[in-house]
């Protein structure tokens, strides 16, 4: 089975896919979770230098709600690859799944403080702040994300919605007008600009 999974990884990589996630998807059909996890761990051991292997193992444990194992594997992944942002995002998701939103936020806050220009981390942190109802901090993070990803049409849209939530009508108008120029989300933009004029 391990030999076949190695082949899945090689073939997937040749196609430009993440071979470890494809191997995990194949193993996730196995009824014997312990056996599947052991096999995935063997695959990860053969690719310790690639953070995607450890991530796939941790994700499999998370998917099967083995949160203790998922956390142990994620922490090991972060220790071995401290600059790999998906490890922090998965650890935050683990805390969220356990209902510990404060720890989920803290993990991403510390990761963003350490890697302030990482688009994935900033975006994940901003969205989690929205879920937590901290719109002021979320707005600041989305402003940072706009600087990092100026081509992403979702960012000015979310900035506009958050500005309205914070009663910053002029800022909201500016964000929606900026988005209007791109031709993206035209119905949403028209709706919110109409609401602003109505107010």
């Amino acid at each position: 089975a391990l030999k076949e999974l190695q082949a899945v990884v090689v073939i997937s990589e040749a196609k430009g896919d993440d071979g470890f996630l494809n191997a995990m998807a194949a193993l996730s059909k196995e009824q014997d979770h312990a056996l599947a996890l052991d096999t995935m761990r063997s695959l990860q051991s053969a690719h310790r230098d690639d953070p995607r292997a450890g991530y796939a193992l941790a994700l499999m444990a998370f998917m099967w709600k083995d949160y203790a194992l998922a956390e142990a594997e994620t922490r090991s992944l972060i220790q071995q690859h401290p600059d790999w942002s998906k490890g922090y995002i998965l650890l935050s998701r683990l805390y969220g799944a356990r209902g510990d939103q404060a720890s989920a936020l803290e993990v991403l806050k510390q990761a963003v403080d350490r890697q302030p220009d990482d688009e994935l981390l900033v975006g994940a942190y901003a969205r989690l702040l929205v879920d937590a109802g901290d719109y002021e901090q979320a707005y600041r993070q989305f402003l940072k994300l706009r600087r990092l990803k100026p081509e992403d049409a979702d960012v000015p849209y979310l900035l506009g919605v958050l500005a309205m939530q914070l009663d910053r009508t002029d800022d909201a108008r500016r964000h929606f007008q900026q988005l209007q120029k791109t031709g993206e989300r035209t119905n949403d933009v028209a709706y919110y600009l109409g609401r602003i004029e109505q107010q």
Side-chain angles (χ1 to χ4, degrees), residues 21-166:
L21 287 182
N22 286 347
M24 185 205 78
L27 277 173
S28 67
K29 299 181 177 78
E30 173 60 50
Q31 295 299 310
D32 186 337
H33 291 183
L35 178 62
L37 284 164
D38 282 346
T39 308
M40 193 70 209
R41 189 175 287 107
S42 297
L43 182 65
Q44 184 262 339
S45 295
H47 298 274
R48 287 195 180 278
D49 292 338
D50 194 328
R52 298 174 306 161
Y55 178 76
L57 173 60
L59 192 61
M60 176 180 269
F62 176 64
M63 182 180 69
W64 283 333
K65 294 183 169 54
D66 188 341
Y67 295 144
L69 177 62
E71 182 175 353
E73 293 298 340
T74 304
R75 289 193 179 281
S76 174
L77 171 65
I78 288 170
Q79 190 173 12
Q80 292 173 39
H81 305 279
D83 295 329
W84 206 64
S85 54
K86 287 185 178 180
Y88 300 98
I89 294 169
L90 182 56
L91 185 58
S92 176
R93 286 179 61 197
L94 269 163
Y95 281 124
R98 288 172 165 167
D100 187 353
Q101 193 175 51
S103 295
L105 283 165
E106 186 59 26
V107 164
L108 290 184
K109 181 185 182 305
Q110 289 180 8
V112 167
D113 287 346
R114 191 172 176 276
Q115 296 168 244
D117 293 332
D118 189 302
E119 297 171 10
L120 269 180
L121 285 173
V122 173
Y125 184 41
R127 285 172 173 81
L128 194 57
L129 284 164
V130 171
D131 292 344
D134 190 343
Y135 301 130
E136 182 63 50
Q137 281 294 334
Y139 186 76
R140 290 179 194 168
Q141 292 301 318
F142 277 118
L143 283 174
K144 190 189 298 184
L145 191 60
R146 184 181 63 185
R147 177 177 57 80
L148 296 172
K149 293 180 72 177
E151 75 290 346
D152 189 338
D154 284 341
V155 177
Y157 170 73
L158 291 166
L159 279 167
V161 172
L162 283 169
M164 290 190 71
Q165 190 76 32
L166 293 165

